[in-house]
Amino acid sequence: MKQLLAKVRVTNSVFLIGTFLTTCTAVPLYIWHYGVDAFQIALFLFFLISTGMSITLGYHRLFSHLTFHASPLVKIYTLLFGAAAFEGSALGWCADHRRHHKHVDHDEDPYDISRGLFHAHIGWLLFRRSLDTPLTWVRDLQKDRLAWFQHQYYVPIAIFMGFILPAAIGWAWGGPVSALGGFLLAGVARIVFVHHMTFCINSLCHWIGDRPYSSKCSARDSLVMAFFTFGEGYHNFHHEFQHDYRNGVKPWQFDPTKWTIWLLAKLGLVKNLRTVDEERILKAQIAEHDRQLEAKLNARTSPLCDSVHAVI
């Protein structure tokens, strides 16, 4: 028991469990007593999209993978609202994520899916399995003054942006009751939604879907997961081509993060969008299709003759 308790990440556990329980108890009580109006819904959606996109567009595609260059305005916005997601500083988040890509599905992977769905989803945040990822993984980002400033003052920025700001906006709109609603809905409940949206990328995106580009790792493509993660559900493509600013590479695939980056580029707020040549993508698809077909043929109980096997 003592050994188990020693592995518990106390701060993470208290915060994650506390916000979840508050969302399941205080939020329904507030709605039951005071109801919810269009303003509260709009405020919730604004903070949900701003913080969620700051993780997918900012922490992930901009800072972790350097898939495009951003203006200071975009960096400041994603760093402020990224802090409000309460997933750590950009430097800490990116260090874990780069380590995940380097050691995916292996022991050094912080959220290794081979240790189970619970571990990949939230267990790695609740229980300490190994030493925290050092910032040596993000030496380049430490040179970014804005990212370094956010890392140094992450806690006060997160508290202000995540809790105080929605409550203050609510107070300005409708007084104390609206302030409480802003705190509970656009603050606490929204944090829980964004947390589990992100956690699903680490867990279910390595569990549900297809692997059209590579079966070398567990990452999978899923429209369902893309819908709930601002386009991050096309995870097999991302792991194979991690420096492409797109996850949903096909025009019909649901990837609002990609569309937002493209729009920001048209507005001149980001530039140098990195993409993979269509030929490389097609070659990867063909090679993976061949591997999967070969595996199915070899798994037949009654092997085909060599000539038929070769034709197929």
Side-chain angles (χ1 to χ4, degrees), residues 243-258:
H243 298 299
D244 194 312
Y245 85 95
R246 307 163 298 177
N247 273 17
V249 67
K250 308 299 183 185
W252 61 85
Q253 290 178 325
F254 183 79
D255 188 355
T257 302
K258 173 190 71 176

Side-chain angles (χ1 to χ4, degrees), residues 140-251:
D140 57 322
L141 298 181
Q142 292 182 60
K143 299 174 184 177
D144 188 309
R145 293 182 180 179
L146 293 173
W148 183 247
F149 179 87
Q150 190 238 32
H151 179 74
Q152 288 183 305
Y153 299 100
Y154 163 71
V155 172
I157 293 173
I159 292 172
F160 176 80
M161 293 296 299
F163 291 129
I164 297 175
L165 182 59
I169 294 173
W171 185 289
W173 176 263
V177 172
S178 187
L180 179 60
F183 172 80
L184 288 174
L185 295 171
V188 179
R190 180 267 315 167
I191 287 171
V192 173
F193 273 79
V194 173
H195 275 171
H196 289 279
M197 178 195 79
T198 307
F199 299 165
C200 281
I201 301 170
N202 301 337
S203 58
L204 292 177
C205 287
H206 286 263
W207 192 271
I208 297 172
D210 304 316
R211 291 186 283 184
Y213 302 98
S214 175
S215 56
K216 292 182 291 186
C217 75
S218 60
R220 298 171 184 272
D221 280 6
S222 167
L223 170 61
V224 173
M225 296 315 305
F227 183 78
F228 288 106
T229 60
F230 293 123
E232 299 285 89
Y234 300 106
H235 212 51
N236 188 253
F237 176 86
H238 172 62
H239 266 267
E240 187 66 12
F241 305 109
Q242 61 179 288
H243 298 299
D244 194 312
Y245 85 95
R246 307 163 298 177
N247 273 17
V249 67
K250 308 299 183 185

Side-chain angles (χ1 to χ4, degrees), residues 107-128:
D107 195 54
E108 286 297 312
D109 180 355
Y111 24 95
D112 178 10
I113 191 65
S114 64
R115 291 183 171 268
L117 200 62
F118 176 79
H119 170 81
H121 190 77
I122 197 173
W124 72 284
L125 292 167
L126 300 176
F127 302 101
R128 190 183 308 278

Side-chain angles (χ1 to χ4, degrees), residues 3 24 53 56 82 84 140 156 207 220 245 251 275 283 297 306:
Q3 290 180 340
C24 293
M53 279 284 191
T56 61
D140 57 322
W207 192 271
R220 298 171 184 272
Y245 85 95
T275 59
K283 283 182 176 179
L297 291 174
D306 291 343

Side-chain angles (χ1 to χ4, degrees), residues 40 50 54 87 95 162 165-166 172 196 198 216 224 226 256 260-261 298-299:
Q40 294 288 4
S50 292
S54 291
E87 295 185 16
L165 182 59
H196 289 279
T198 307
K216 292 182 291 186
V224 173
T260 303
I261 295 169
N298 291 334

